[in-house]
Amino acid sequence: MPNQQTHTPDAPLVSFVLTYYNLPIDMLCQCIDSLRALSLRAYEREIIVIDDGSQQSPLPQLSAYLNDIIYVRQKNGGLSAARNLGISVATGQYIQFVDADDLLLTTPYEHCLDFVRYEKPDMVIFDFTHQPDQPTVYEDSAAMSGSDYMRRFNIRGTACGYLFKKSTLGQLRFTPGIYHEDEEFTPLLMLRSDTVRSTNAQAYQYRQREDSIMTSTSIRHQLKRLNDAKHILQRLQTLADTLPAEERVALHRRVHQLTMDYIYNVILLTQSQHYLNRRLEDLHRMGLYPLPKRDYTKKYKWFRRLANSEVGLKMLMRTIPMMKKEK
């Protein structure tokens, strides 16, 4: 009998784009281990470690992983540049972004992989957790388009919460040099997705660090964060006005949600009535304030009523910083 050869696909099933910058080596190793623990065979996965110009390369301490990873080091350019490089390196059918200080949780992520293996949707949406204690029964949505999903539900900005086909990207990339780059990238990726499956499986463990970008308290950082968020709102609003009706409604919902978040963060981070008034004037010129009357969520409707009145804004100025201190 002739020798039988095991057929392997031309491309891995999933490329994991793992971004790393100045982290403890044990966190990086734990992250890689969480990817290797999945049922994907070696030829079905591609683990790409993008070192965003760390002060010291972790490569000498990764000798045990060299057969399982592709290590690429770039000059420090930020998360957007690192992910864009990872996209260019990736050869997998699907892409999963992972921050090096986080983990994928085996059992719930296998549930996400089952969608990819058996249904091949453009995107799988899953949930996050800070605690790895997981339920074993999941609730999954029916398949729908990305624009339909966005019209019905709020979406999470973080790109790590989505497993998606690389072919869906086209020329879409992250904007370099900004904070909140996910908030611009994610809704545009979803609008490109014809079939989306969503599950409440908590497949991604988020491990927050005190020195991370999102926890920085420097005034310079906070002002840049707010300024970048405003420019993203402006770009998304401009794009939404050019889209067909269904996609326009979908993206407008996301823009309205982000506008609410932006006003909240202006109050929380600056606690300045003068700064808030200036930013509300900017939003008004962009056609985003007052917040439009829409039947989205209870939170949106409650916030809109307060934010659209002088008395309500004063109440928000008092209560939002207090709520943050109580957490």
Side-chain angles (χ1 to χ4, degrees):
M1 295 180 61
N3 291 332
Q4 293 184 348
Q5 295 182 347
T6 302
H7 174 73
T8 59
D10 294 333
L13 183 62
V14 183
S15 292
F16 298 95
V17 176
L18 194 163
T19 48
Y20 171 86
Y21 178 70
N22 286 349
L23 289 173
I25 189 64
D26 62 321
M27 297 191 81
L28 173 59
C29 293
Q30 290 166 13
C31 181
I32 297 173
D33 286 339
S34 76
L35 308 183
R36 297 202 305 174
L38 298 169
S39 63
L40 295 167
R41 289 163 288 190
Y43 64 83
E44 294 180 303
R45 69 171 187 238
E46 186 177 57
I47 302 175
I48 304 168
V49 179
I50 305 295
D51 177 1
D52 185 32
S54 297
Q55 293 176 359
Q56 185 172 359
S57 170
L59 189 58
Q61 302 178 69
L62 295 176
S63 58
Y65 299 95
L66 295 184
N67 291 331
D68 290 306
I69 68 172
I70 298 170
Y71 174 83
V72 183
R73 180 175 172 86
Q74 68 170 17
K75 181 180 179 181
N76 180 246
L79 183 58
S80 291
R83 285 179 174 169
N84 287 343
L85 178 57
I87 290 170
S88 69
V89 173
T91 63
Q93 301 170 52
Y94 285 80
I95 290 179
Q96 173 68 61
F97 294 116
V98 188
D99 292 340
D101 49 351
D102 298 331
L103 304 170
L104 292 185
L105 300 175
T106 305
T107 300
Y109 197 81
E110 292 289 349
H111 184 65
C112 302
L113 289 175
D114 284 344
F115 287 121
V116 167
R117 288 175 170 130
Y118 302 117
E119 298 183 23
K120 297 179 172 55
D122 292 326
M123 175 184 286
V124 180
I125 305 172
F126 50 85
D127 212 344
F128 289 73
T129 184
H130 290 281
Q131 303 295 330
D133 184 18
Q134 303 296 314
T136 55
V137 179
Y138 308 117
E139 296 180 4
D140 307 325
S141 74
M144 65 184 77
S145 70
S147 62
D148 193 16
Y149 188 92
M150 288 175 63
R151 289 196 305 272
R152 298 185 188 190
F153 307 107
N154 288 346
I155 64 171
R156 291 182 297 274
T158 176
C160 292
Y162 305 89
L163 174 61
F164 60 91
K165 279 184 178 177
K166 184 181 180 184
S167 59
T168 306
L169 280 173
Q171 299 303 311
L172 179 63
R173 296 295 186 271
F174 293 92
T175 300
I178 64 171
Y179 295 146
H180 300 290
E181 61 281 324
D182 291 21
E183 297 289 12
E184 183 176 32
F185 176 89
T186 300
L188 300 184
L189 175 64
M190 187 164 288
L191 287 178
R192 293 166 175 260
S193 301
D194 293 329
T195 54
V196 171
R197 291 300 307 266
S198 176
T199 175
N200 69 342
Q202 295 176 335
Y204 192 102
Q205 184 179 351
Y206 179 62
R207 300 193 288 181
Q208 192 168 3
R209 297 177 295 110
E210 292 183 357
D211 59 343
S212 69
I213 291 175
M214 295 307 295
T215 57
S216 173
T217 58
S218 72
I219 297 299
R220 182 178 179 182
H221 162 84
Q222 291 175 351
L223 292 179
K224 176 172 171 51
R225 177 181 172 186
L226 292 172
N227 195 50
D228 287 348
K230 184 183 70 173
H231 289 306
I232 288 172
L233 280 172
Q234 190 168 26
R235 290 195 293 271
L236 291 178
Q237 173 75 347
T238 300
L239 175 62
D241 292 338
T242 69
L243 295 175
E246 291 186 358
E247 294 183 359
R248 181 168 65 250
V249 171
L251 189 52
H252 273 154
R253 174 177 178 139
R254 186 58 185 161
V255 169
H256 298 155
Q257 177 71 36
L258 291 175
T259 303
M260 180 185 74
D261 293 344
Y262 175 75
I263 295 171
Y264 177 93
N265 283 321
V266 167
I267 295 172
L268 177 65
L269 297 176
T270 70
Q271 299 181 37
S272 166
Q273 184 70 55
H274 176 68
Y275 189 87
L276 174 63
N277 291 340
R278 289 172 54 194
R279 299 291 75 84
L280 292 178
E281 290 173 2
D282 291 341
L283 293 176
H284 180 72
R285 285 193 291 269
M286 294 160 57
L288 295 176
Y289 182 81
L291 289 169
K293 186 177 181 180
R294 297 289 188 273
D295 190 21
Y296 294 150
T297 63
K298 290 181 179 179
K299 179 180 178 182
Y300 176 85
K301 290 185 284 187
W302 170 83
F303 191 92
R304 183 192 65 81
R305 286 194 294 268
L306 292 177
N308 286 357
S309 72
E310 184 176 349
V311 173
L313 281 172
K314 290 180 179 179
M315 184 181 298
L316 290 174
M317 286 291 297
R318 291 194 304 267
T319 58
I320 288 177
M322 292 175 58
M323 292 165 58
K324 181 65 174 179
K325 289 180 181 179
E326 292 174 357
K327 288 186 178 181

